[in-house]
Amino acid sequence: MTETETDTTRGAEGMPDAPAPTAETPSIDDLEEAMRDVVDPELGINVVDLGLLYGIDVHHEDTGTVATLDLTLTSAACPLTDVIEDQSRAALTRGPGGGLVDDVRINWVWMPPWGPDKITDDGREQLRALGFTV
């Protein structure tokens, strides 16, 4: 190499590891687990096992740690968005009983549309126990 050339490693080998979650940044797995406490009021099954939770993003803002949830509903006409929003906030935010984040934002997502294929195996078992055929 000449004096003006540098030794550059390209690709994953030269990249630093992603930062590990800290006490201030909850893991996606922890947030997803907490979202199992959010129950669809009509079916009585949590939004994770129903396949209504499409994604979670966690980031920091001046006001603290914020979780942004991509959620859908079994029907775009479902009138229960406020109930699910309230349950999500209660499941994730810091309060007298603790919590994982300071704030929650919800993106209601309609594409791809929800269908029974999104239900997890656990969700299917729960629905069968309630008498649904899935």
Side-chain angles (χ1 to χ4, degrees), residues 37-50:
D37 290 339
V38 178
V39 175
D40 180 281
E42 292 179 315
L43 295 174
I45 308 295
N46 72 72
V47 297
V48 175
D49 287 328
L50 275 178

Side-chain angles (χ1 to χ4, degrees), residues 12-104:
E13 184 179 322
M15 299 300 294
D17 291 333
T22 65
E24 294 297 316
T25 306
S27 73
I28 299 300
D29 289 341
D30 287 343
L31 291 165
E32 184 177 302
E33 186 61 33
M35 285 298 292
R36 291 181 188 280
D37 290 339
V38 178
V39 175
D40 180 281
E42 292 179 315
L43 295 174
I45 308 295
N46 72 72
V47 297
V48 175
D49 287 328
L50 275 178
L52 301 178
L53 180 63
Y54 281 8
I56 302 173
D57 177 61
V58 182
H59 60 278
H60 294 278
E61 296 183 359
D62 293 338
T63 57
T65 306
V66 178
T68 302
L69 309 174
D70 291 336
L71 282 168
T72 194
L73 298 168
T74 56
S75 163
C78 179
L80 300 169
T81 56
D82 291 346
V83 173
I84 292 176
E85 284 183 25
D86 291 345
Q87 285 186 41
S88 298
R89 190 167 308 286
L92 299 179
T93 57
R94 294 186 173 105
L100 296 171
V101 296
D102 297 301
D103 196 12
V104 173

